[in-house]
Structure formats: structure tokens, C-alpha cells
Amino acid sequence: MCKAFIFDLDGVITDTAELHFQAWSKLALEENLVFTREINEQLRGISRRDSLDIILAENVRSESQIAKMMERKNDVYLDLLNSITKDDILPGILELLLELNARQIKVVLASASRNARGILLRLGLIPLFDAIADGWSVERSKPAPDVFIHAAGQVGVNANDCVVVEDAQAGVEAGKTAGMKVIGIGPESRVGAADWRVDDTAAINLKQVLEQF
Ligand code: B16
Ligand code: MG
């Protein structure tokens, strides 16, 4: 029985992928690293450190250089986040959150981002969430199930009573490994392992999920 909905952030609540792309592009240019939209697509749902490791590829940097690079990227990203408003909430999401609140189904965030709380604040969505699990909550990031298990624990709901909403392959894998049902947003090639798949957030069908679960 569905007792909690656990939402990923980037690609589900709002599309911060473009802002991550711009911030990583600036760093890559300054560091003379190859960075393309195709590489950016591989960073979906992956932690900041794992993202930098992918961008660095065979380029070797010391741990202290890596720490400084992550900070520089994040400073640019934080600047870009100043531009987001309530209008950047993806279609259908506000209505879905309100409906879940009305039905007293717990609403939890489970994001790899260390900026998740600030982003929800900018979007005006904090009051609609019962708990937040983010990049600070767990050590191992997606595809490890940890952030989802932590999220469910925060609202006292068993994993098999949770529905995860995810747009990333790593996130779908994490949700399934956690023992949860998963709604995948995006193409079959990316989120095909989910229990339900929709092309975009506007197509999430709460009635269908609750009837089948
Ligand atoms: P930060 P999600 C993820 O968000 C992004 O998809 C991913 O591209 C990013 O690297 C990661 O957050 C970490 O973000 O640098 O803000 O800590 O999809 O898990 O909500
Ligand atoms: Mg995502």
C-alpha cells in the first residue's frame, strides 16, 4: 500500500541539469577539459564528486585540486540558481504534491544534490515536504539505495510502501534496490527498469499508481 512518495529533484521537481551543464562547462573550459552535452547526460542523478571523476576521465588531479574544482563549479552553480523561481517547477508536480498532501501520503525528497534544500526553498515547496534527504544525508550516492532508505526512515514508512519518482538510470536502479516501486520519467532506454514509465512529469497518473499499488 502506498504510504509515501519519494521524489528525486533534478529532472523531476525542476530541471537544474541545464544549470549544472553551464557550471561544469565553465570549469572544463578553464581546466582545458573536454565537456559535451553527451557527457553532461551521464551526470544525471550522479553526485558532484562522481560527476567530476567522469569529466576528468584520464586527466589526473590531486585531491586538493579536485576539492577546489568542485568548489569553483558549485560557486558558479549557486549563482545560476539565483535565477530560478516557482515558474521552474516542472508541469504537474505542484498539483501532484498538493494531492498527496490532501491524501495524507507522506512526501519526501531524495536527491544527490547538496543544494537540494535551497532549491526547494526558492521554489516555495518546503511546506509540502515531510522530510528531505539530500547529498549530505548519506555517504554512498545513487545507484546505491542509501538515500531512498534514509528518506523512508525519516517518515517511518517501510520500503515496500514507498513510490519513488526518478528521471535517472542510477536513480531508478537505487529505488529498485531499496525495494520500492518506481515511476520513471523519460525514455525507455534510460528509465525502462521502472515499474511505470512516463515521458514527462505532466503524465504522472496518481490514480493509476494508487489503484495498482
Ligand atoms: P550538487 P538529483 C543531482 O540531482 C543532479 O542530477 C546531478 O547532476 C548533480 O551532480 C547532483 O545532483 C549533485 O548536485 O552539485 O548540487 O550537490 O537528480 O539527485 O536531484
Ligand atoms: Mg534527477
Side-chain angles (χ1 to χ4, degrees):
M1 186 189 167
C2 175
K3 294 183 184 164
F5 253 65
I6 306 182
F7 290 87
D8 172 52
L9 179 64
D10 177 27
V12 172
I13 304 281
T14 188
D15 246 329
T16 41
E18 180 59 29
L19 306 184
H20 281 295
F21 175 72
Q22 289 175 29
W24 282 128
S25 294
K26 185 166 188 293
L27 181 83
L29 197 68
E30 289 165 2
E31 292 286 329
N32 210 11
L33 299 165
V34 177
F35 185 59
T36 61
R37 287 205 174 266
E38 287 66 39
I39 297 173
N40 193 56
E41 190 55 30
Q42 293 173 40
L43 312 184
R44 199 178 272 270
I46 302 288
S47 72
R48 199 181 306 167
R49 173 60 195 260
D50 290 347
S51 300
L52 183 53
D53 284 345
I54 290 172
I55 295 166
L56 282 173
E58 305 304 315
N59 297 278
V60 178
R61 297 286 193 281
S62 70
E63 278 306 313
S64 91
Q65 285 175 318
I66 285 176
K68 282 184 194 137
M69 286 164 83
M70 289 200 292
E71 202 179 319
R72 274 161 58 204
K73 181 267 177 179
N74 198 51
D75 285 346
V76 176
Y77 180 60
L78 286 175
D79 259 2
L80 293 169
L81 282 179
N82 284 327
S83 67
I84 69 165
T85 68
K86 288 179 182 185
D87 291 342
D88 295 302
I89 299 171
L90 284 168
I93 290 296
L94 183 57
E95 296 75 3
L96 176 59
L97 294 173
L98 290 169
E99 181 64 24
L100 291 166
N101 275 227
R103 289 175 183 261
Q104 296 186 327
I105 294 171
K106 299 285 187 200
V107 171
V108 193
L109 191 83
S111 168
S113 175
R114 294 190 159 187
N115 299 299
R117 193 173 287 271
I119 295 169
L120 283 191
L121 200 64
R122 283 206 68 89
L123 298 173
L125 294 178
I126 295 271
L128 300 183
F129 279 80
D130 293 292
I132 294 171
D134 61 14
W136 299 101
S137 306
V138 293
E139 285 287 321
R140 295 190 307 163
S141 53
K142 304 166 188 176
D146 305 26
V147 73
F148 290 118
I149 291 167
H150 181 81
Q154 279 183 292
V155 289
V157 174
N158 286 332
N160 54 7
D161 290 324
C162 293
V163 172
V164 163
V165 190
E166 255 294 348
D167 69 308
Q169 192 169 12
V172 171
E173 189 184 329
K176 292 307 298 172
T177 307
M180 299 174 180
K181 291 273 186 269
V182 180
I183 301 172
I185 316 276
E188 183 77 31
S189 57
R190 195 172 80 208
V191 296
D195 298 277
W196 301 275
R197 191 200 66 77
V198 287
D199 288 330
D200 53 55
T201 51
I204 298 173
N205 187 337
L206 178 61
K207 205 163 154 270
Q208 182 199 35
V209 171
L210 295 181
E211 273 167 16
Q212 294 178 7
F213 183 34

